[in-house]
């Protein structure tokens, strides 16, 4: 029998997770569901200068927002990918670019023809066939659906932005859709004695926010999912040992790069994120191998412009809640789990959590089958992202510091070991179900990290050598021509979406 629909939702937290959930749920559910959001200015948020992946653009489309307006508000720039420097060995560099690489042909993906051409002595790198990589190398950018009139897909991009400003923008959207904001600190969580379901949040002021469904976006505090409900946490530090970060902004540098940099350091790595008016920087490191003071010195010694303030320290335990939906509470953002921002996945995991919740939306019955499916899908997504991050570390050839020697001997999660063996065998990549990172992402990091397939697929030999040269040469030329016609990234931003 149809049970009554939910009529009220309370969101705890007004960081990126809280306001993203508020805006998207309000848009999807309309006025049938009352949404309240509680946040405390005294506690504040984690949001720094952050990098995203292309799926974030769906949020604008869903909310009906103009992309340039969002970018202006969040001081955003365009992001074509992430450049990894010194990860394989000092002096080595590659990019994980978001666009497709080359074209498939017949039954085979592009890399099989590229591997065959290499076996025949061609020296063009994989990234000669990526429009994003070529544009990034020249600091150029333009929105482009296709490469000329060819079947090659065009530029695929994400944003670098000020996450605090982005959350404020979403707050405006959420409030215009009827979300009611409460300022104050939650002092107590009321639970039903019979089954532990959450009944209400009680603020220090005495105000009581009752609801049927609670979304825990309280950040690392995880006040509801852990504080009240004791969901438990899976610690993944044996695979991803970094546990601290220091973040600081610095003055803007030129040229304005259309990509994030992830530069390996002696006991971790450092990000550089170019915004319109300044750059975001951070040093992610493992406290077992470097002290906080040393880590701060490394960060400050490797800024490209003067620091704008003191570094901010953050501590974390990589991993995820054993259950991210428990009773009538769903955790999103840092309350659900954390993985270092090496592939800029955290904000995306919030977005996909919201969309999963909407597709499994419960009624007042809270059927456990919906909860279990939510938890199963969430774990699948987190574990695949984890494996992709581990790939960057476990394949290093560095043995110059204890940290990198440790990383080179990390025990591999099963799924990753399988993927590596398959790629080594004959360059194949199999995407597991609808895991976040597609074959083209795995391909670039595998090749970038120096994994050499022993052979290419036998069917690639079916293409005559002259035809192979023409096939590959044609793509390189089209991409080169398209990139030459693009403005610089700085010109494009100044023209399309300058921050006021
Ligand atoms: P928070 O921002 O911590 O917000 C928590 C909210 O809960 C606040 O509003 C606070 O007031 C409220 N709150 C907590 N307790 C109470 C209480 N008792 N009463 C009332 N209110 C309360 N992600 C990316 O996608 N790309 C990146 O490049 C990236 N870089 C990162 C770098 C670092 C070092 C870190 C730590 C994270 C990074 N992230 C990145 C992750 C990203 O910052 C977070 O996923 C995102 O900001 C969501 O945070 P949040 O909203 O879950 O938590």
């Amino acid at each position: 029998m149809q049970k009554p629909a939910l009529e009220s939702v309370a969101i705890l937290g007004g960081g990126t997770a809280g306001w993203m959930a508020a805006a998207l749920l309000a848009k999807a559910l309309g006025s049938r569901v009352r949404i309240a959001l509680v946040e405390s200015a005294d506690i504040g948020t984690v949001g720094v200068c952050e990098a995203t992946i292309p799926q974030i653009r769906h949020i604008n489309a869903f909310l009906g927002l103009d992309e340039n307006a969002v970018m202006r508000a969040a001081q955003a720039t365009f992001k074509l990918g992430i450049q990894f420097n010194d990860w394989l060995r000092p002096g080595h560099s590659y990019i994980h670019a978001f666009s497709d690489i080359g074209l498939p042909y017949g039954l085979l993906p592009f890399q099989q023809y590229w591997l065959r051409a290499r076996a025949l002595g061609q020296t063009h790198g994989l990234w000669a066939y990526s429009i994003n990589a070529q544009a990034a190398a020249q600091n150029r950018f333009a929105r482009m659906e296709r490469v000329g009139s060819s079947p090659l897909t065009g530029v695929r991009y994400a944003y670098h932005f000020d996450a605090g400003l982005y959350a404020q923008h979403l707050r405006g959207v959420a409030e215009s859709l009827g979300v009611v904001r409460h300022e104050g600190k939650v002092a107590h969580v009321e639970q039903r004695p019979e089954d532990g379901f959450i009944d209400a949040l009680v603020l220090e002021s005495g105000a009581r926010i009752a609801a049927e469904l609670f979304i825990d976006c309280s950040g690392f505090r995880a006040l509801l999912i852990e504080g009240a409900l004791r969901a438990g946490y899976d610690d993944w530090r044996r695979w991803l040992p970094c546990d601290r970060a220091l973040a600081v902004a610095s003055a803007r540098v030129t040229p304005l790069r259309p990509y994030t940099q992830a530069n390996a350091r002696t006991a971790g790595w450092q990000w550089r994120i170019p915004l319109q008016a300044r750059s975001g920087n951070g040093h992610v490191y493992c406290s077992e191998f470097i002290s906080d003071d040393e880590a701060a010195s490394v960060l400050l010694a490797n800024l490209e412009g003067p620091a704008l303030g003191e570094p901010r320290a953050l501590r974390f335990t990589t991993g995820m809640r054993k259950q991210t939906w428990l009773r009538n509470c769903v955790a999103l953002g840092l309350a659900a789990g954390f993985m270092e921002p090496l592939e800029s996945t955290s904000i995306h995991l919030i977005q996909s959590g919201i969309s999963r919740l909407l597709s499994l939306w419960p009624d007042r019955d809270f059927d456990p089958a919906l909860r279990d499916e939510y938890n199963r899908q969430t774990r699948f997504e987190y574990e695949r992202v984890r494996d992709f991050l581990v790939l960057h570390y476990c394949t290093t050839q560095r043995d110059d510091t204890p940290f990198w020697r440790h990383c080179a001997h990390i025990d591999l999660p099963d799924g990753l070991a399988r993927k590596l063996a398959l790629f080594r065998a004959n360059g194949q990549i199999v995407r597991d179900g609808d895991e976040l990172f597609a074959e083209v992402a795995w391909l670039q990091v595998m090749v970038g990290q120096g994994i050499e397939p022993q052979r290419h697929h036998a069917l690639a030999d079916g293409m005559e050598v002259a035809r192979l040269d023409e096939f590959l040469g044609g793509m390189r030329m089209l991409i080169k021509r398209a990139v030459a016609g693009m403005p610089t990234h700085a010109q494009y931003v100044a023209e399309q979406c300058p921050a006021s």
Side-chain angles (χ1 to χ4, degrees):
M1 200 178 71
Q2 190 75 22
K3 289 281 168 31
L6 294 183
E7 288 176 357
S8 57
V9 173
I11 299 170
L12 172 58
T16 316
W19 285 115
M20 200 182 261
L24 294 176
L25 293 183
K27 180 75 179 180
L29 301 170
S31 55
R32 291 185 304 279
V33 180
R34 292 188 310 281
I35 302 179
L37 183 145
V38 183
E39 67 176 321
S40 160
D42 287 351
I43 293 177
T45 63
V46 160
V48 283
C49 300
E50 286 174 19
T52 59
I53 57 175
Q55 286 84 342
I56 194 162
R57 295 177 52 211
H58 298 313
I59 293 182
N60 298 330
F62 181 73
L63 294 175
L65 302 177
D66 172 61
E67 183 175 73
N68 282 344
V70 175
M71 291 188 70
R72 271 196 291 275
Q75 299 190 356
T77 63
F78 294 93
K79 173 180 170 186
L80 294 168
I82 307 172
Q83 184 186 60
F84 293 94
N85 297 312
D86 306 331
W87 281 76
L88 180 61
R89 53 179 177 269
H92 181 268
S93 176
Y94 67 95
I95 188 166
H96 165 197
F98 296 138
S99 58
D100 286 344
I101 295 201
L103 282 173
Y105 184 80
L107 293 176
L108 296 182
F110 171 77
Q111 79 258 20
Q112 295 296 347
Y113 297 99
W114 174 71
L115 286 170
R116 174 157 177 243
R118 270 203 339 174
L120 291 167
Q122 267 206 21
T123 53
H124 296 285
L126 186 65
W127 290 274
Y129 306 91
S130 157
I131 188 153
N132 275 36
Q134 293 305 307
Q138 297 178 41
N139 290 313
R140 292 178 189 265
F141 182 83
R143 292 179 176 105
M144 187 180 281
E145 287 289 316
R146 307 215 72 79
V147 178
S149 53
S150 79
L152 283 164
T153 52
V155 171
R156 199 157 176 255
Y157 62 90
Y159 318 124
H160 301 118
F161 59 34
D162 179 321
L165 294 175
Y166 183 68
Q168 285 314 299
H169 195 71
L170 292 181
R171 172 181 167 183
V173 175
E175 289 184 321
S176 74
L177 291 168
V179 173
V180 177
R181 174 181 178 272
H182 300 265
E183 166 66 40
K185 246 186 230 172
V186 170
H188 175 61
V189 179
E190 272 182 20
Q191 288 175 259
R192 287 199 310 232
E194 67 273 24
D195 56 11
F197 273 49
I198 298 174
D199 254 344
L201 309 178
V202 182
L203 308 193
E204 280 179 349
S205 62
R208 185 175 178 277
I209 318 285
E212 293 156 315
L213 174 68
F214 290 81
I215 317 271
D216 187 352
C217 299
S218 63
F220 286 129
R221 285 179 173 76
L223 210 69
L224 307 183
I225 196 79
E226 196 59 57
L229 301 183
R230 305 271 163 225
Y233 195 78
D234 283 337
D235 181 335
W236 288 345
R237 277 176 295 184
R238 67 183 176 284
W239 291 303
L240 292 166
C242 289
D243 57 359
R244 293 191 191 175
L246 287 159
V248 71
S250 62
R252 178 192 160 149
V253 289
T254 47
L256 186 66
R257 294 188 192 103
Y259 55 92
T260 305
Q261 283 186 315
N263 299 331
R265 302 285 179 231
T266 54
W269 61 278
Q270 185 173 335
W271 76 74
R272 285 188 186 143
I273 295 179
L275 299 196
Q276 292 194 29
R278 62 187 198 285
S279 295
N281 308 271
H283 185 188
V284 175
Y285 58 98
C286 179
S287 60
E288 231 180 87
F289 295 96
I290 190 171
S291 71
D292 295 337
D293 286 348
E294 273 178 279
S297 308
V298 169
L299 172 66
L300 295 172
N302 286 289
L303 301 179
E304 294 176 299
L308 306 172
E310 290 297 311
R312 180 174 167 206
L314 296 142
R315 292 181 178 205
F316 54 84
T317 303
T318 297
M320 69 178 291
R321 298 274 156 230
K322 288 188 188 299
Q323 296 177 81
T324 47
W325 178 341
L326 187 54
R327 304 201 177 100
N328 60 339
C329 173
V330 175
L332 294 171
L334 302 173
F338 184 74
M339 286 181 268
E340 59 193 73
L342 187 57
E343 286 280 354
S344 318
T345 40
S346 291
I347 292 177
H348 175 75
L349 292 172
I350 301 169
Q351 182 182 345
S352 64
I354 297 166
S355 111
R356 187 173 305 129
L357 174 60
L358 281 167
S359 73
L360 294 165
W361 192 249
D363 56 27
R364 283 194 210 159
D365 208 24
F366 280 96
D367 192 320
L370 299 170
R371 176 204 64 199
D372 292 349
E373 180 57 17
Y374 180 93
N375 286 328
R376 189 191 67 77
Q377 289 183 19
T378 306
R379 177 163 292 275
F380 178 87
E381 183 173 44
Y382 271 68
E383 288 182 350
R384 293 309 175 287
V385 169
R386 175 199 68 197
D387 291 0
F388 189 55
L389 301 190
V390 175
L391 173 66
H392 300 66
Y393 285 100
C394 70
T395 48
T396 188
Q397 292 173 6
R398 290 183 69 142
D399 63 358
D400 53 322
T401 68
F403 172 77
W404 289 106
R405 285 196 286 278
H406 172 82
C407 292
H409 293 100
I410 286 171
D411 268 345
L412 301 188
D414 290 346
L416 177 57
R418 180 173 45 79
K419 278 198 159 93
L420 278 166
L422 194 59
F423 189 70
R424 283 192 174 110
N426 74 345
Q428 288 204 54
I429 297 164
V430 174
R431 188 177 188 177
D432 289 340
D434 57 355
E435 71 173 308
L436 175 58
F437 288 104
E439 292 87 337
V440 67
W442 284 90
L443 173 67
Q444 292 174 80
V445 179
M446 297 247 206
V447 172
Q449 289 292 133
I451 310 295
E452 287 286 339
Q454 289 165 14
R455 61 186 81 79
H456 53 268
H457 195 293
L459 285 180
D461 290 326
M463 193 185 275
E464 284 179 14
V465 174
R467 170 80 187 100
L468 181 67
D469 282 348
E470 191 191 333
F471 178 60
L472 298 178
M475 281 186 259
R476 289 196 305 273
M477 192 196 63
L478 283 164
I479 288 172
K480 209 170 170 184
R481 205 183 281 160
V483 171
M486 291 179 183
T488 67
H489 180 219
Q491 282 166 343
Y492 195 85
V493 167
E495 203 180 279
Q496 298 274 326
C497 48
S500 44

